[in-house]
């Protein structure tokens, strides 16, 4: 088992509990989808798994590759092979896309990155995502459109090749063409690495070309139902009302 979350209770530092006795297990190579109404705690789960210091773990355990990472910092989790793409990627002035990704790879692997090979792979990934190569030299996300920011997140996913990736509504705010490109990028990640995914989404279009192993419905900070990919169609047709009840 790659990820084993046991009876997780977590909330904001000021004491507001958001996640309650949450359990989820993800095996190597699996793709899981997390859905739920607004305010259910989906993004909070992603942040808690990734070690965002804003969130306080009040009970339970997070095991990754058999190792207890409940108290580990975000950088330690990243070095172990975890990754998270954000719903609203932030601007980072003063560091280019290329420099950011290269530094991240070096930090994760602890090895020197060969510049020529790195730039060759970066260019190929950017072409795959229909990104202008000039963006590699621009400050990360500064002046980027919403679509380019999301592509930048998927570019990092393809270059870093994590064993486990949390994608927090990567498709939100994107037009049809951008969703198609982002979806293709996620599919390419699966082909290249065989990694595991936890996809937080309201939009099934991003899942069209992916084999979904399990779908979880999160309500009021707890997973109330787990099923196969057929659960996505049920949600599209009927909404979350019966699960909330």
């Amino acid at each position: 088992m790659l990820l084993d979350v046991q009876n997780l209770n977590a909330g904001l530092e000021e004491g507001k509990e958001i996640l309650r006795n949450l359990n989820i297990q993800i095996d190597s190579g699996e793709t899981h989808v997390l859905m739920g109404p607004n305010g259910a705690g989906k993004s909070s789960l992603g942040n808690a798994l990734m070690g965002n210091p804003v969130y306080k773990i009040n009970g339970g355990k997070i095991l990754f590759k058999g190792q207890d990472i409940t108290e580990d910092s975000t950088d330690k989790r990243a070095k172990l092979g975890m990754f998270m793409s954000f719903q609203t990627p932030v601007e980072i002035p003063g560091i280019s896309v290329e420099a950011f990704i290269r530094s991240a790879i070096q930090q994760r692997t602890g090895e020197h990155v060969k510049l020529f090979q790195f730039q060759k792979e970066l260019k190929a990934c950017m072409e795959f995502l229909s990104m202008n190569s000039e963006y590699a030299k621009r400050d990360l996300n500064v002046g980027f459109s919403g679509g380019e920011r999301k592509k930048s997140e998927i570019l990092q996913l393809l270059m870093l090749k994590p064993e486990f990736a949390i994608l927090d509504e990567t498709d939100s705010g994107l037009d049809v063409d951008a969703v198609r490109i982002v979806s293709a990028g996620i599919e390419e990640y699966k082909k290249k690495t065989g990694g595991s995914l936890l996809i937080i989404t309201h939009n099934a279009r991003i899942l069209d070309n992916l084999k979904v192993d399990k779908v979880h419905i999160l309500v009021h900070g707890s997973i109330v139902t787990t099923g196969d990919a057929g659960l996505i169609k049920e949600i599209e047709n009927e909404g979350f009302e019966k699960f909330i009840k």
Side-chain angles (χ1 to χ4, degrees), residues 124-209:
C125 287
M126 293 185 77
E127 288 177 354
F128 182 85
L129 295 170
S130 300
M131 291 184 71
N132 189 319
S133 60
E134 293 180 2
Y135 276 77
K137 303 299 183 184
R138 291 179 57 177
D139 288 358
L140 184 62
N141 295 329
V142 175
F144 286 23
S145 68
E148 294 299 338
R149 290 189 185 205
K150 297 301 179 73
K151 288 181 184 179
S152 175
E153 295 280 284
I154 300 302
L155 176 64
Q156 294 168 44
L157 175 69
L158 291 174
M159 292 295 294
L160 285 165
K161 306 178 183 68
E163 292 173 67
F164 174 61
I166 304 161
L167 307 183
D168 186 8
E169 298 198 29
T170 305
D171 52 344
S172 67
L174 299 183
D175 60 30
V176 174
D177 290 334
V179 168
R180 177 181 54 78
I181 292 170
V182 166
S183 179
I186 297 169
E187 186 182 7
E188 183 72 4
Y189 159 76
K190 288 289 291 184
K191 286 179 181 178
K192 278 187 173 182
T193 69
S196 299
L197 289 168
L198 177 61
I199 301 176
I200 301 168
T201 185
H202 287 104
N203 189 342
R205 286 183 303 173
I206 200 171
L207 307 171
D208 285 347
N209 297 316

Side-chain angles (χ1 to χ4, degrees), residues 25-36:
Q25 290 77 39
I26 300 177
D27 285 332
S28 295
E30 287 188 337
T31 296
H32 288 224
V33 175
L34 184 67
M35 305 181 79

Side-chain angles (χ1 to χ4, degrees), residues 4-59:
D4 185 9
V5 181
Q6 304 174 359
N7 300 314
L8 184 66
N9 290 271
L12 299 173
E13 286 192 334
E14 59 264 27
K16 181 183 177 183
E17 196 84 326
I18 298 174
L19 304 175
R20 301 175 178 87
N21 297 318
L22 189 145
N23 294 275
I24 186 171
Q25 290 77 39
I26 300 177
D27 285 332
S28 295
E30 287 188 337
T31 296
H32 288 224
V33 175
L34 184 67
M35 305 181 79
N38 291 332
K42 301 183 297 297
S43 293
S44 294
L45 174 58
N47 280 284
L49 293 179
M50 204 63 221
N52 186 332
V54 171
Y55 290 82
K56 179 178 174 61
I57 305 298
N58 300 314

